[in-house]
Amino acid sequence: MTALPTRKDEAWRYSDLDVVARLWPVAPAADIIVAAGTCANRHLIVEDGIHDFAITLGAGARIDFHVLNIGAGYGRVAIDVTLHSHAHFEFGAVQVGGGNANLEIVTTVRHIEPNATSKQTVRSVLGGAATGSYLGKVAVARDAQKTDSVQSVKAMLLSRTATANAKPELEIYADDVKCAHGATVGELDKMALFYLAARGLAPAEAQTLLLQAFVGEVFAGVQAQATLEAEALAALGRLA
């Protein structure tokens, strides 16, 4: 995209367009090509800015892509993925923001051939007046039979002034597929906080522990787990 986006552009509907205008134009999307039958791992820690990726998975290829979005200002990650037959896209993202942070994850997953699979797990923790958004489209072509795709999106709000936006979307033209998505927004369990406090944990420690459990599944078992978890825990601690 060369023209400055507007509110009419669906993928930018929740963006801070004043900041986007200052960052524009942005670099072209970084290309990641995973050859047929091979595997790749990528992780990204974002502390502001716009980061675009175009991923192509050959037949039987797999990529595990994990993102930690923790900027104090505007941080956006946009990923466009094309899957050929029997390919798999595994995506996990955690967004942690306070103050006036505006954090975004935007994905487009294109199943163009049969038997490909994709799984997206996104967790957001938002305090202050922060905004966290996920817009994720899964497009299944007419020939992409036996597609199996899942989107799981959850957000935790720590203040009444924080905002979470979730828009998982399915566009399906094949008739033999298994696609599911779910999105929830909630607050910390007050009973769980009370339980931990009754056992001697300070309120800030109890909150951080519960939030760590909330986002923990996203990075469990991934190649860069230690790095991602340490950075996520530090970001959660700053919200306490």
Side-chain angles (χ1 to χ4, degrees), residues 141 156 191 214:
M156 189 74 70
M191 288 301 296
F214 176 68

Side-chain angles (χ1 to χ4, degrees), residues 42-93:
R42 296 288 189 277
H43 75 273
L44 177 68
I45 299 174
V46 176
E47 295 185 356
D48 292 332
I50 299 173
H51 306 264
D52 289 347
F53 298 88
I55 301 173
T56 302
L57 299 177
R62 174 184 176 124
I63 190 169
D64 290 65
F65 199 115
H66 290 86
V67 172
L68 177 60
N69 196 1
I70 53 174
Y74 178 68
R76 174 187 175 91
V77 179
I79 302 176
D80 194 309
V81 188
T82 300
L83 295 93
H84 290 269
S85 64
H86 294 87
H88 178 72
F89 174 57
E90 185 81 17
F91 179 69

Side-chain angles (χ1 to χ4, degrees), residues 55-198:
I55 301 173
T56 302
L57 299 177
R62 174 184 176 124
I63 190 169
D64 290 65
F65 199 115
H66 290 86
V67 172
L68 177 60
N69 196 1
I70 53 174
Y74 178 68
R76 174 187 175 91
V77 179
I79 302 176
D80 194 309
V81 188
T82 300
L83 295 93
H84 290 269
S85 64
H86 294 87
H88 178 72
F89 174 57
E90 185 81 17
F91 179 69
V94 171
Q95 304 193 106
V96 181
N100 293 305
N102 189 319
L103 309 177
E104 297 183 302
I105 300 290
V106 181
T107 62
T108 302
V109 179
R110 308 177 192 275
H111 288 259
I112 64 171
E113 292 181 351
N115 296 291
T117 57
S118 60
K119 181 181 179 182
Q120 301 181 70
T121 305
V122 179
R123 301 289 182 262
S124 298
V125 179
L126 306 163
T131 299
S133 303
Y134 167 78
L135 290 83
K137 179 178 181 179
V138 175
V140 182
R142 194 174 306 277
D143 294 331
Q145 305 294 343
K146 303 295 183 181
T147 287
D148 189 342
S149 179
V150 177
Q151 295 166 287
S152 172
V153 187
K154 296 180 182 179
M156 189 74 70
L157 302 183
L158 305 183
S159 70
R160 295 184 179 276
T161 50
T163 302
N165 303 302
K167 188 176 181 289
E169 178 183 356
L170 298 174
E171 183 181 89
I172 302 172
Y173 292 100
D175 55 14
D176 185 6
V177 303
K178 184 165 66 173
C179 295
H181 62 210
T184 61
V185 178
E187 300 177 344
L188 280 174
D189 187 334
K190 290 183 173 55
M191 288 301 296
L193 286 170
F194 176 80
Y195 176 87
L196 292 173

